[in-house]
Amino acid sequence: MSQIRIVRIHNELLGTYGDQGNAEVLEFRAKFHGITANIIDVSYNDDLPTNGDIYLLGGAEDAAQLLSLEALQRGANLETLHFAIERGAVILAVCAGFQIIGNRFVANGQEVDGLGLLDVISIPGDKRLVGDIKTTSTVLGFELTGFENHMGRTILGPTAQAFGKVITGHGNGDSKYDGAVNGNIFGTYMHGPILARNPEFADLLLTRATGRKYAQITDPLALKYATWRRKVI
Ligand code: GLN
């Protein structure tokens, strides 16, 4: 595959925390590996494209999060995501996006059903969790750094696996784990954007989405900064 389609979902709603940058990092890293990337922006009124390789959701304030959920529950969008998962496409969902793809969440005092793609539920805690976060990924075998800013606490159900073990910060709220993962579906509280701060993770998502193997990151500058961040947080 020398072309990759990156679907950026609801930038106008899920762009508050800068996570839209994940699409640009993927585009940049893809180019680095000789792959042409197309970023497809999907707005509130649009249908999700059925041929995406990577679907991205970002963080948002509660009201925007509920609007995004409403749009994703409309028409064939949820079916499109289920087919995408079966095809082996990647989903990366950050913070509000992570809560949206879970089973249930509370936002703006409203309890709603999520998309049910990850076996998690999220409820607000009594204080906002803000600051640097560092984890060891349970599946990737390396450390990740990011920035968190959320009220939500996330509880994993029996079929969800935590994405990261917390070294610094709060993650899902218990200061033990961050996010959840199931196959190629990744949920996390890490902004940054996470892929800008952890280029190896971007490469891993490209590997999963294209079926090609990138043995290791070969961009010394990107690696140097990612390593430096892990030391200072
Ligand atoms: N509204 C959600 C919360 O506070 C998500 C916040 C975010 O995306 N940063 O938990």
Side-chain angles (χ1 to χ4, degrees):
M1 187 195 282
S2 58
Q3 275 226 344
I4 189 161
R5 282 170 296 271
I6 299 162
V7 182
R8 179 162 52 190
I9 300 174
H10 302 158
N11 195 14
E12 75 277 39
L13 297 169
L14 306 179
T16 318
Y17 294 88
D19 301 310
Q20 59 270 53
N22 285 328
E24 271 121 51
V25 176
L26 284 168
E27 184 185 31
F28 178 83
R29 300 294 312 158
K31 203 168 152 193
F32 189 84
H33 295 297
I35 299 169
T36 308
N38 292 320
I39 298 176
I40 301 149
D41 272 304
V42 174
S43 295
Y44 174 80
N45 286 315
D46 300 336
D47 292 332
L48 287 180
T50 54
N51 59 358
D53 298 301
I54 301 182
Y55 292 81
L56 299 172
L57 298 98
E61 289 148 312
D62 283 16
Q65 180 175 354
L66 289 169
L67 282 172
S68 176
L69 172 73
E70 179 194 299
L72 290 169
Q73 284 170 330
R74 205 168 47 213
N77 283 336
L78 185 52
E79 212 180 330
T80 297
L81 286 174
H82 279 296
F83 282 135
I85 292 161
E86 273 173 40
R87 281 189 288 111
V90 165
I91 298 180
L92 172 63
V94 180
C95 207
F98 171 38
Q99 297 174 2
I100 286 173
I101 68 167
N103 287 335
R104 251 180 121 62
F105 66 89
V106 176
N108 254 356
Q110 227 179 301
E111 187 174 340
V112 291
D113 281 334
L115 300 183
L117 305 180
L118 280 176
D119 185 13
V120 301
I121 57 163
S122 302
I123 44 169
D126 51 6
K127 76 173 171 69
R128 219 170 167 79
L129 304 176
V130 185
D132 286 318
I133 169 167
K134 178 158 83 169
T135 67
T136 304
S137 165
T138 55
V139 283
L140 310 181
F142 49 80
E143 285 180 4
L144 298 164
T145 70
F147 191 84
E148 61 183 326
N149 183 354
H150 54 104
M151 282 296 282
R153 312 293 193 258
T154 295
I155 300 144
L156 272 56
T159 67
Q161 184 192 342
F163 177 45
K165 227 173 157 326
V166 172
I167 300 166
T168 307
H170 301 282
N172 292 340
D174 55 5
S175 296
K176 284 188 183 145
Y177 295 103
D178 170 66
V181 58
N182 187 357
N184 281 350
I185 312 171
F186 296 86
T188 176
Y189 275 109
M190 296 174 109
H191 303 292
I194 184 170
L195 299 184
R197 294 177 58 147
N198 306 277
E200 301 99 318
F201 184 28
D203 284 3
L204 181 122
L205 296 185
L206 290 170
T207 304
R208 295 270 187 103
T210 61
R212 277 169 54 160
K213 188 89 201 120
Y214 306 119
Q216 61 180 29
I217 190 164
T218 49
D219 178 349
L221 196 61
L223 184 59
K224 186 173 161 194
Y225 281 116
T227 308
W228 170 79
R229 275 183 214 106
R230 282 167 202 139
K231 280 198 191 121
V232 295
I233 288 172

